[in-house]
């Protein structure tokens, strides 16, 4: 049930059964993100982060588009140093560092900043007609929403170079093969698949899920001893929770645990 949520112009927000859903909604521009859209996305993620009734966030688009990138009219009209006033990297970092798992539900085109938004999410599920790409090169610019960094970590340097140098879109099947999509499903099963995963995660201890995300997000950039030390410290935190008591007790009593996030 959705209660007391903020109103947004370029997106729709709802919460049901511990799952917060952000639908980017700017259909006349194929969900292209202007500064207001980025600001609203940032605000919506912060709102869901702060809501204890949300354990998983789902981000999706509208009709045949997830997000068609940054607003090209806006880019066209900008001067060089305007880029320093642009919060896209910060917004996408806030998605990446959200204290809840974020699932990108890619219902069509995920291009430019749309692909980067998907890359900032933890899990990506796409429909069979999804297309992903970093076409910024066709505009004479580069992917500056983390694309040159996150894409290499997911698909490898060689494929990232090919995608960014050519600007070519890849289809859902190839994206799946490259590990860019965790799952590809028929279009009419997309939301069900995403919610199946979201519901499964929402039943776990939200504190354990949060600690796991912190540890995993450090793994690409940290050295092994530091990563292992972090892992152990986070485990020490989890050993102090009621959820850990409940999880272990439930196993021993041969029943399903009920995690309260305490
Ligand atoms: N920025 C601003 N407007 C955009 C946009 C973007 N990134 N993507 C689409 N639009 C607008 C189009 O200009 C068009 O506006 P109009 O109706 O006023 O002419 C409207 O959205 C519909 O787009 P259209 O191209 O007609 O739809 P389509 O279904 O034929 O193609 C896309 C969809 C997504 C493949 C195509 O719009 C596209 O390639 N968009 C740009 C992708 C891109 O380069 N992103 C990186 C930006 S850095």
């Amino acid at each position: 049930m959705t209660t007391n949520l903020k109103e947004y112009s370029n997106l729709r927000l709802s919460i049901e059964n511990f799952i917060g859903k952000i639908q980017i909604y700017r259909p006349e521009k194929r969900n292209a993100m202007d500064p207001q859209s980025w600001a609203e996305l940032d605000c919506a993620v912060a709102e869901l982060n702060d809501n204890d009734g949300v354990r998983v966030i789902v981000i999706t688009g509208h009709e045949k588009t997830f997000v068609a990138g940054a607003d090209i009219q806006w880019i066209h009209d900008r001067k060089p140093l305007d880029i320093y006033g642009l919060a896209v990297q910060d917004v996408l970092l806030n998605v990446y560092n959200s204290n809840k798992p974020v699932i990108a539900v890619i219902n069509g085109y995920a291009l430019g900043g749309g692909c980067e938004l998907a890359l900032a999410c933890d899990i990506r599920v796409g429909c069979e007609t999804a297309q992903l790409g970093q076409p910024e090169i066709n505009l004479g610019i580069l992917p500056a929403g983390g694309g040159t960094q996150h894409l290499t970590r997911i698909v490898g340097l060689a494929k990232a170079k090919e995608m960014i140098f050519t600007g070519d879109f890849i289809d859902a099947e190839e994206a799946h093969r490259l590990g860019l999509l965790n799952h590809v499903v028929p279009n009419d099963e997309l939301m069900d698949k995403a919610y199946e995963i979201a519901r499964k995660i929402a039943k776990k201890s939200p504190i354990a899920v949060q600690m796991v995300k912190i540890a995993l997000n450090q793994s690409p950039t940290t050295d092994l001893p530091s990563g292992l030390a972090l892992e152990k410290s986070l485990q020490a935190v989890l050993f102090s929770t009621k959820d850990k008591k409940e999880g272990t007790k439930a196993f021993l009593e041969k029943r399903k645990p009920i995690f309260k996030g305490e």
Side-chain angles (χ1 to χ4, degrees):
M1 193 192 303
T2 298
T3 47
N4 299 327
L5 296 174
K6 288 189 190 134
E7 296 274 325
Y8 298 91
S9 304
N10 296 345
L11 57 85
R12 293 166 172 183
L13 192 60
S14 58
I15 300 174
E16 206 170 340
N17 298 329
F18 290 114
I19 301 168
K21 179 170 142 193
I22 298 172
Q23 182 187 29
I24 314 285
Y25 192 79
R26 208 176 165 227
E28 72 288 357
K29 294 289 176 193
R30 297 280 185 265
N31 290 342
M33 302 288 284
D34 62 357
Q36 180 178 342
S37 309
W38 289 117
E40 288 190 2
L41 175 62
D42 204 30
C43 198
V45 169
E47 186 175 350
L48 296 180
N49 282 345
D50 288 346
N51 190 322
D52 290 339
V54 174
R55 293 187 178 182
V56 181
I57 298 173
V58 160
I59 302 181
T60 193
H62 176 68
E63 286 192 352
K64 60 176 188 176
T65 310
F66 178 66
V67 168
D71 190 306
I72 296 172
Q73 182 66 56
W74 187 88
I75 295 173
H76 174 267
D77 297 341
R78 294 281 78 71
K79 297 189 287 298
L81 294 183
D82 289 344
I83 197 73
Y84 288 99
L86 188 60
V88 178
Q89 283 186 347
D90 301 324
V91 175
L92 292 179
L93 257 186
N94 289 340
V95 174
Y96 185 70
N97 290 323
S98 162
N99 58 13
K100 331 255 162 141
V102 186
I103 302 177
V105 185
I106 304 173
N107 57 304
Y109 294 112
L111 305 174
C115 189
E116 290 168 311
L117 171 58
L119 293 170
C121 296
D122 300 300
I123 295 174
R124 286 162 289 280
V125 183
C127 65
E128 284 170 343
T129 54
Q131 299 213 45
L132 295 91
Q134 297 289 168
E136 288 87 347
I137 200 78
N138 298 327
L139 306 170
I141 56 174
L142 60 77
T148 63
Q149 307 303 304
H150 285 299
L151 193 60
T152 55
R153 288 179 182 145
I154 295 171
V155 304
L157 188 55
K159 194 66 200 178
K161 283 180 173 172
E162 183 185 337
M163 282 178 68
I164 295 174
F165 285 151
T166 64
D168 286 348
F169 304 168
I170 58 170
D171 63 22
E173 196 186 321
E174 189 178 3
H176 186 224
R177 196 174 50 75
L178 291 169
L180 191 46
L181 290 178
N182 295 63
H183 300 274
V184 178
V185 292
N187 292 29
D188 58 358
E189 293 171 22
L190 180 63
M191 227 13 121
D192 286 349
K193 182 67 192 175
Y195 270 69
E196 179 192 316
I197 299 168
R199 276 193 299 271
K200 202 176 274 186
I201 299 171
K203 287 200 185 110
K204 316 296 180 196
S205 159
I207 315 176
V209 170
Q210 188 181 351
M211 299 298 127
V212 165
K213 182 165 170 174
I214 292 170
L216 288 172
N217 274 6
Q218 289 302 316
S219 67
T221 50
T222 198
D223 60 275
L224 187 61
S226 310
L228 291 175
L230 174 67
E231 191 179 89
K232 203 169 266 193
S233 308
L234 295 171
Q235 186 75 304
V237 172
L238 293 177
F239 269 37
S240 72
T241 63
K242 287 187 186 165
D243 279 356
K244 173 255 191 183
K245 278 247 164 1
E246 165 65 7
T248 48
K249 193 159 174 274
F251 177 84
L252 297 172
E253 292 173 354
K254 301 191 187 309
R255 62 172 174 83
K256 292 219 180 310
I258 300 167
F259 293 117
K260 295 185 177 162
E262 295 171 356

